[in-house]
Amino acid sequence: LIEMLADSSPRAQAFAASALGRLRWAPAAPALVELLRSNADADAFVRHAASHALACTSTSAFLQSQAQDVSR
């Protein structure tokens, strides 16, 4: 699933992000942040899926560490 976050299809990226969120797999958090950066708000579905998955997989400490990211 992590590899699918870099797929050329935004739909595949969104489905992969959603699946990772449902799994609540914490190691996926950095890859989800990178997906949000690379998407750069180009696709609303990818943004929604990745941000929701990030909320499901991350600790509050990780999210706070990303709060000042330039891509936010």
Side-chain angles (χ1 to χ4, degrees):
L1 288 172
I2 294 288
E3 291 173 2
M4 289 186 67
L5 294 176
D7 195 275
S8 62
S9 166
R11 184 175 179 144
Q13 292 173 337
F15 279 119
S18 293
L20 288 165
R22 285 193 305 274
L23 291 172
R24 298 186 183 277
W25 192 54
L32 291 165
V33 169
E34 183 54 38
L35 176 58
L36 286 166
R37 280 188 195 121
S38 66
N39 182 51
D41 287 341
D43 187 287
F45 293 105
V46 171
R47 182 182 62 235
H48 174 77
S51 60
H52 184 264
L54 193 57
C56 292
T57 61
S58 301
T59 63
S60 60
F62 179 81
L63 292 174
Q64 287 176 346
S65 74
Q66 301 300 306
Q68 298 305 318
D69 190 273
V70 296
S71 68
R72 65 179 175 90

Coordinates of all heavy atoms in Angstrom, one line a residue:
L1 N 0.8 -1.2 0.0 CA 0.0 0.0 0.0 C 0.8 1.3 0.0 O 0.5 2.3 -0.6 CB -0.9 0.0 1.2 CG -2.1 -1.0 1.2 CD1 -2.8 -1.0 2.5 CD2 -3.0 -0.6 0.0
I2 N 2.0 1.2 0.7 CA 2.8 2.4 0.8 C 3.3 2.8 -0.7 O 3.3 3.9 -1.0 CB 4.1 2.2 1.7 CG1 3.6 2.0 3.1 CG2 5.1 3.3 1.5 CD1 3.1 3.3 3.8
E3 N 3.7 1.7 -1.4 CA 4.1 2.0 -2.8 C 3.0 2.6 -3.7 O 3.3 3.4 -4.5 CB 4.6 0.7 -3.4 CG 5.9 0.1 -2.8 CD 6.2 -1.2 -3.4 OE1 5.5 -1.8 -4.2 OE2 7.2 -1.8 -2.9
M4 N 1.8 2.3 -3.4 CA 0.7 2.8 -4.2 C 0.4 4.3 -3.9 O -0.2 5.0 -4.7 CB -0.6 2.0 -3.9 CG -0.5 0.6 -4.5 SD -2.1 -0.2 -4.4 CE -3.1 0.7 -5.5
L5 N 1.0 4.8 -2.8 CA 0.8 6.2 -2.5 C 1.6 7.1 -3.6 O 1.2 8.2 -3.8 CB 1.4 6.6 -1.1 CG 0.6 6.0 0.0 CD1 1.3 6.4 1.3 CD2 -0.9 6.5 0.0
A6 N 2.5 6.5 -4.3 CA 3.3 7.1 -5.3 C 2.8 6.8 -6.7 O 3.5 7.1 -7.7 CB 4.8 6.8 -5.1
D7 N 1.7 6.1 -6.8 CA 1.2 5.7 -8.1 C 0.9 6.9 -8.9 O 0.6 8.0 -8.4 CB -0.1 4.9 -7.9 CG -0.6 4.1 -9.1 OD1 -1.2 4.8 -10.0 OD2 -0.2 3.0 -9.3
S8 N 0.9 6.8 -10.2 CA 0.6 7.9 -11.1 C -0.9 8.3 -11.1 O -1.3 9.4 -11.6 CB 1.0 7.7 -12.5 OG 0.4 6.5 -13.1
S9 N -1.8 7.4 -10.6 CA -3.2 7.6 -10.6 C -3.6 8.2 -9.3 O -3.5 7.6 -8.2 CB -3.9 6.3 -10.9 OG -5.3 6.5 -10.5
P10 N -4.2 9.4 -9.3 CA -4.7 10.0 -8.0 C -5.8 9.1 -7.3 O -5.8 9.0 -6.1 CB -5.3 11.3 -8.4 CG -4.6 11.7 -9.7 CD -4.4 10.4 -10.4
R11 N -6.5 8.4 -8.1 CA -7.5 7.5 -7.5 C -6.9 6.3 -6.8 O -7.3 6.0 -5.7 CB -8.4 6.9 -8.6 CG -9.5 6.1 -8.1 CD -10.5 5.6 -9.2 NE -11.5 4.8 -8.6 CZ -12.7 4.8 -9.0 NH1 -13.1 5.6 -10.0 NH2 -13.6 4.0 -8.5
A12 N -5.8 5.8 -7.3 CA -5.1 4.7 -6.6 C -4.4 5.3 -5.4 O -4.4 4.6 -4.3 CB -4.0 4.1 -7.6
Q13 N -3.9 6.5 -5.5 CA -3.3 7.1 -4.3 C -4.3 7.3 -3.2 O -4.1 7.0 -2.0 CB -2.7 8.5 -4.6 CG -1.5 8.4 -5.5 CD -1.1 9.8 -6.0 OE1 -1.9 10.7 -6.0 NE2 0.2 9.9 -6.4
A14 N -5.5 7.7 -3.5 CA -6.6 8.0 -2.5 C -7.0 6.7 -1.9 O -7.2 6.6 -0.7 CB -7.7 8.7 -3.2
F15 N -7.2 5.6 -2.7 CA -7.6 4.3 -2.2 C -6.6 3.7 -1.3 O -6.9 3.2 -0.2 CB -8.0 3.4 -3.3 CG -9.4 3.6 -3.8 CD1 -9.6 3.9 -5.2 CD2 -10.5 3.4 -3.0 CE1 -10.9 4.1 -5.7 CE2 -11.8 3.6 -3.5 CZ -12.0 4.0 -4.8
A16 N -5.3 3.9 -1.6 CA -4.2 3.4 -0.8 C -4.2 4.1 0.5 O -4.0 3.5 1.6 CB -2.9 3.5 -1.5
A17 N -4.3 5.4 0.5 CA -4.3 6.2 1.7 C -5.5 5.8 2.6 O -5.3 5.7 3.8 CB -4.4 7.7 1.4
S18 N -6.7 5.7 2.0 CA -7.8 5.3 2.8 C -7.6 3.9 3.5 O -8.0 3.7 4.6 CB -9.1 5.2 1.9 OG -9.4 6.5 1.5
A19 N -7.0 3.0 2.7 CA -6.8 1.6 3.3 C -5.8 1.7 4.4 O -6.0 1.1 5.5 CB -6.3 0.7 2.2
L20 N -4.7 2.5 4.3 CA -3.8 2.7 5.4 C -4.4 3.3 6.6 O -4.1 2.9 7.7 CB -2.6 3.5 4.9 CG -1.7 2.8 3.9 CD1 -0.7 3.8 3.2 CD2 -0.9 1.7 4.6
G21 N -5.3 4.2 6.4 CA -6.0 4.8 7.5 C -6.9 3.8 8.2 O -6.9 3.8 9.5
R22 N -7.6 3.0 7.5 CA -8.4 1.9 8.1 C -7.6 0.9 8.9 O -8.0 0.4 9.9 CB -9.3 1.2 7.0 CG -10.4 2.1 6.5 CD -11.4 1.2 5.7 NE -10.8 0.5 4.6 CZ -10.6 1.1 3.4 NH1 -11.0 2.3 3.1 NH2 -10.1 0.3 2.4
L23 N -6.4 0.7 8.4 CA -5.5 -0.3 9.1 C -4.9 0.4 10.3 O -4.4 -0.3 11.2 CB -4.4 -0.7 8.2 CG -4.8 -1.6 7.0 CD1 -3.6 -1.8 6.0 CD2 -5.3 -2.9 7.5
R24 N -4.9 1.7 10.4 CA -4.3 2.5 11.5 C -2.8 2.1 11.7 O -2.4 1.9 12.8 CB -5.1 2.3 12.8 CG -6.5 2.8 12.7 CD -7.3 2.7 14.0 NE -8.6 3.2 13.8 CZ -9.0 4.4 13.8 NH1 -8.2 5.4 14.0 NH2 -10.3 4.7 13.7
W25 N -2.1 2.0 10.6 CA -0.7 1.5 10.6 C 0.2 2.7 10.8 O 0.4 3.5 9.8 CB -0.4 0.7 9.4 CG 0.9 0.0 9.4 CD1 1.3 -0.9 10.3 CD2 1.9 0.1 8.4 NE1 2.5 -1.3 10.0 CE2 3.0 -0.7 8.8 CE3 2.1 0.8 7.3 CZ2 4.1 -0.9 8.1 CZ3 3.3 0.7 6.6 CH2 4.3 -0.2 7.0
A26 N 0.7 3.0 12.0 CA 1.5 4.2 12.3 C 2.7 4.4 11.4 O 3.0 5.5 11.1 CB 1.9 4.1 13.8
P27 N 3.4 3.3 11.0 CA 4.6 3.6 10.1 C 4.2 4.3 8.8 O 5.1 4.8 8.1 CB 5.2 2.2 9.9 CG 4.7 1.4 11.1 CD 3.4 1.9 11.4
A28 N 3.0 4.3 8.5 CA 2.6 5.0 7.2 C 2.5 6.5 7.3 O 2.5 7.2 6.2 CB 1.2 4.5 6.8
A29 N 2.6 7.0 8.5 CA 2.4 8.5 8.6 C 3.4 9.3 7.8 O 3.0 10.3 7.1 CB 2.5 8.9 10.1
P30 N 4.7 9.1 7.8 CA 5.6 9.9 7.0 C 5.3 9.8 5.5 O 5.4 10.8 4.8 CB 7.0 9.3 7.3 CG 6.8 8.7 8.7 CD 5.4 8.1 8.7
A31 N 4.9 8.7 5.0 CA 4.5 8.5 3.6 C 3.3 9.3 3.3 O 3.1 9.9 2.2 CB 4.4 7.1 3.2
L32 N 2.3 9.4 4.2 CA 1.1 10.1 4.0 C 1.4 11.6 4.0 O 0.8 12.4 3.2 CB 0.1 9.8 5.1 CG -0.5 8.4 5.0 CD1 -1.2 8.0 6.3 CD2 -1.4 8.2 3.8
V33 N 2.3 12.1 4.8 CA 2.7 13.5 4.8 C 3.4 13.8 3.4 O 3.1 14.8 2.8 CB 3.7 13.8 6.0 CG1 4.4 15.2 5.8 CG2 3.0 13.7 7.3
E34 N 4.2 12.9 2.9 CA 4.8 13.1 1.6 C 3.8 13.1 0.5 O 3.9 13.9 -0.4 CB 5.9 12.0 1.4 CG 6.6 12.2 0.1 CD 7.3 13.6 -0.1 OE1 7.8 14.1 0.9 OE2 7.2 14.1 -1.2
L35 N 2.8 12.3 0.6 CA 1.7 12.3 -0.4 C 1.0 13.7 -0.3 O 0.7 14.3 -1.4 CB 0.7 11.2 -0.1 CG -0.6 11.2 -1.0 CD1 -0.2 11.1 -2.5 CD2 -1.5 10.1 -0.6
L36 N 0.7 14.2 0.8 CA 0.1 15.5 0.9 C 1.0 16.6 0.3 O 0.5 17.5 -0.4 CB -0.2 15.9 2.4 CG -1.4 15.1 3.0 CD1 -1.4 15.2 4.5 CD2 -2.7 15.6 2.4
R37 N 2.3 16.5 0.6 CA 3.2 17.5 0.0 C 3.2 17.4 -1.6 O 3.1 18.4 -2.3 CB 4.6 17.2 0.5 CG 4.9 17.7 1.8 CD 6.4 17.6 2.1 NE 6.7 17.8 3.5 CZ 7.2 16.8 4.3 NH1 7.6 15.7 3.8 NH2 7.4 17.1 5.6
S38 N 3.3 16.2 -2.1 CA 3.4 16.0 -3.5 C 2.1 16.3 -4.2 O 2.1 16.8 -5.4 CB 3.9 14.6 -3.9 OG 2.9 13.6 -3.5
N39 N 1.0 16.1 -3.5 CA -0.3 16.4 -4.1 C -0.5 17.9 -4.3 O -1.1 18.4 -5.2 CB -1.4 15.8 -3.3 CG -2.8 16.1 -3.9 OD1 -3.0 15.8 -5.1 ND2 -3.7 16.6 -3.1
A40 N 0.0 18.7 -3.3 CA 0.0 20.2 -3.3 C -1.4 20.7 -3.6 O -1.6 21.6 -4.5 CB 1.0 20.7 -4.3
D41 N -2.4 20.1 -3.0 CA -3.8 20.4 -3.2 C -4.4 20.3 -4.7 O -5.4 20.9 -5.0 CB -4.1 21.9 -2.7 CG -4.1 22.0 -1.2 OD1 -4.2 20.9 -0.6 OD2 -3.9 23.1 -0.7
A42 N -3.7 19.5 -5.5 CA -4.1 19.3 -6.8 C -5.4 18.5 -6.9 O -6.2 18.7 -7.8 CB -3.0 18.7 -7.7
D43 N -5.5 17.5 -6.1 CA -6.6 16.6 -6.1 C -7.3 16.6 -4.7 O -6.7 16.1 -3.7 CB -6.2 15.2 -6.5 CG -7.4 14.3 -6.7 OD1 -8.0 13.9 -5.8 OD2 -7.6 14.0 -7.9
A44 N -8.5 17.0 -4.6 CA -9.2 17.1 -3.4 C -9.5 15.7 -2.7 O -9.4 15.6 -1.5 CB -10.6 17.8 -3.5
F45 N -9.7 14.7 -3.6 CA -9.9 13.4 -3.0 C -8.7 12.8 -2.4 O -8.7 12.2 -1.3 CB -10.5 12.4 -4.1 CG -11.8 12.8 -4.6 CD1 -12.0 13.4 -5.8 CD2 -13.0 12.6 -3.8 CE1 -13.3 13.8 -6.2 CE2 -14.2 13.0 -4.2 CZ -14.4 13.5 -5.4
V46 N -7.5 13.0 -3.0 CA -6.3 12.6 -2.4 C -6.0 13.3 -1.1 O -5.6 12.7 -0.1 CB -5.1 12.8 -3.4 CG1 -3.8 12.6 -2.8 CG2 -5.3 11.9 -4.6
R47 N -6.2 14.7 -1.2 CA -6.0 15.5 0.1 C -6.9 14.9 1.2 O -6.4 14.8 2.3 CB -6.3 16.9 -0.2 CG -6.0 17.8 1.0 CD -6.4 19.3 0.7 NE -7.8 19.4 0.4 CZ -8.2 20.0 -0.7 NH1 -7.4 20.5 -1.6 NH2 -9.5 20.1 -0.9
H48 N -8.1 14.7 0.9 CA -9.1 14.2 2.0 C -8.6 12.9 2.5 O -8.6 12.6 3.7 CB -10.5 14.2 1.4 CG -11.4 13.6 2.4 ND1 -11.9 14.2 3.5 CD2 -12.0 12.3 2.5 CE1 -12.7 13.4 4.2 NE2 -12.7 12.3 3.6
A49 N -8.4 11.9 1.6 CA -8.0 10.6 2.0 C -6.7 10.6 2.8 O -6.6 9.9 3.8 CB -7.9 9.7 0.8
A50 N -5.7 11.3 2.3 CA -4.4 11.3 3.0 C -4.5 12.0 4.4 O -3.9 11.5 5.3 CB -3.4 12.0 2.1
S51 N -5.3 13.1 4.5 CA -5.4 13.8 5.7 C -6.2 13.0 6.7 O -5.8 12.9 7.9 CB -5.9 15.2 5.6 OG -7.2 15.1 5.0
H52 N -7.2 12.3 6.3 CA -8.0 11.4 7.2 C -7.1 10.3 7.6 O -7.1 9.9 8.8 CB -9.3 11.0 6.5 CG -10.1 10.1 7.4 ND1 -10.1 8.8 7.4 CD2 -11.0 10.5 8.3 CE1 -10.9 8.3 8.3 NE2 -11.5 9.3 8.9
A53 N -6.4 9.7 6.7 CA -5.5 8.5 7.1 C -4.5 9.0 8.0 O -4.1 8.3 9.0 CB -4.9 8.0 5.8
L54 N -3.9 10.2 7.8 CA -2.9 10.7 8.8 C -3.5 10.9 10.2 O -2.8 10.5 11.2 CB -2.4 12.0 8.2 CG -1.2 12.6 8.8 CD1 0.0 11.6 8.7 CD2 -0.8 13.9 8.2
A55 N -4.7 11.3 10.2 CA -5.4 11.5 11.6 C -5.6 10.1 12.2 O -5.5 10.0 13.4 CB -6.7 12.2 11.4
C56 N -5.8 9.1 11.4 CA -6.1 7.7 11.9 C -4.8 7.0 12.3 O -4.8 6.1 13.2 CB -6.8 6.9 10.9 SG -8.5 7.4 10.7
T57 N -3.7 7.3 11.7 CA -2.4 6.6 11.9 C -1.4 7.3 12.8 O -0.5 6.6 13.2 CB -1.7 6.3 10.5 OG1 -1.4 7.5 9.9 CG2 -2.6 5.5 9.6
S58 N -1.6 8.5 13.1 CA -0.6 9.3 13.8 C -0.9 9.6 15.2 O -2.0 9.7 15.6 CB -0.4 10.7 13.1 OG -0.1 10.5 11.7
T59 N 0.2 9.8 16.0 CA 0.1 10.2 17.3 C 0.0 11.8 17.3 O 0.3 12.4 16.4 CB 1.3 9.8 18.2 OG1 2.5 10.5 17.6 CG2 1.5 8.3 18.2
S60 N -0.5 12.3 18.4 CA -0.6 13.7 18.5 C 0.8 14.4 18.4 O 0.9 15.5 17.9 CB -1.4 14.2 19.7 OG -0.7 13.7 20.9
A61 N 1.8 13.7 19.0 CA 3.2 14.2 18.9 C 3.7 14.3 17.5 O 4.3 15.3 17.1 CB 4.1 13.4 19.8
F62 N 3.4 13.3 16.7 CA 3.8 13.4 15.3 C 3.1 14.5 14.6 O 3.7 15.2 13.8 CB 3.5 12.0 14.6 CG 3.9 12.1 13.1 CD1 5.3 11.9 12.8 CD2 3.0 12.3 12.1 CE1 5.7 11.9 11.4 CE2 3.4 12.3 10.8 CZ 4.7 12.1 10.5
L63 N 1.8 14.6 14.8 CA 1.0 15.7 14.1 C 1.5 17.1 14.5 O 1.7 17.9 13.7 CB -0.4 15.5 14.4 CG -1.1 14.3 13.8 CD1 -2.6 14.2 14.3 CD2 -1.1 14.3 12.3
Q64 N 1.9 17.2 15.8 CA 2.4 18.5 16.2 C 3.7 18.8 15.6 O 4.0 20.0 15.3 CB 2.5 18.6 17.7 CG 1.2 18.7 18.4 CD 1.3 18.6 19.9 OE1 2.3 18.2 20.5 NE2 0.2 19.0 20.6
S65 N 4.5 17.8 15.4 CA 5.9 18.0 14.8 C 5.7 18.4 13.3 O 6.7 19.0 12.8 CB 6.7 16.7 14.9 OG 6.3 15.7 14.0
Q66 N 4.6 18.1 12.7 CA 4.4 18.4 11.3 C 3.6 19.8 11.1 O 3.4 20.2 10.0 CB 3.6 17.3 10.6 CG 4.3 16.0 10.6 CD 5.7 16.0 9.9 OE1 5.8 16.5 8.8 NE2 6.7 15.6 10.7
A67 N 3.2 20.3 12.2 CA 2.3 21.5 12.1 C 2.9 22.7 11.4 O 2.3 23.5 10.8 CB 1.8 21.9 13.5
Q68 N 4.2 22.8 11.5 CA 4.9 24.0 10.9 C 5.5 23.6 9.5 O 6.3 24.4 9.0 CB 6.0 24.5 11.9 CG 5.5 25.0 13.2 CD 4.4 26.1 13.0 OE1 4.5 27.0 12.2 NE2 3.3 26.0 13.8
D69 N 5.2 22.5 9.0 CA 5.7 22.1 7.7 C 5.3 23.2 6.6 O 4.2 23.7 6.7 CB 5.1 20.8 7.3 CG 5.7 20.2 6.1 OD1 5.3 20.5 4.9 OD2 6.7 19.4 6.2
V70 N 6.2 23.5 5.7 CA 6.0 24.5 4.7 C 4.8 24.2 3.8 O 4.2 25.1 3.2 CB 7.2 24.8 3.9 CG1 8.3 25.4 4.8 CG2 7.7 23.6 3.2
S71 N 4.5 22.9 3.7 CA 3.4 22.5 2.8 C 2.0 22.7 3.4 O 1.0 22.5 2.7 CB 3.6 21.1 2.3 OG 3.4 20.2 3.4
R72 N 1.9 23.0 4.6 CA 0.6 23.1 5.3 C -0.2 24.2 4.7 O -1.1 24.5 4.5 CB 0.7 23.2 6.8 CG 1.3 24.5 7.2 CD 1.4 24.6 8.7 NE 2.1 25.8 9.1 CZ 1.5 27.0 9.3 NH1 0.2 27.1 9.1 NH2 2.2 28.0 9.6

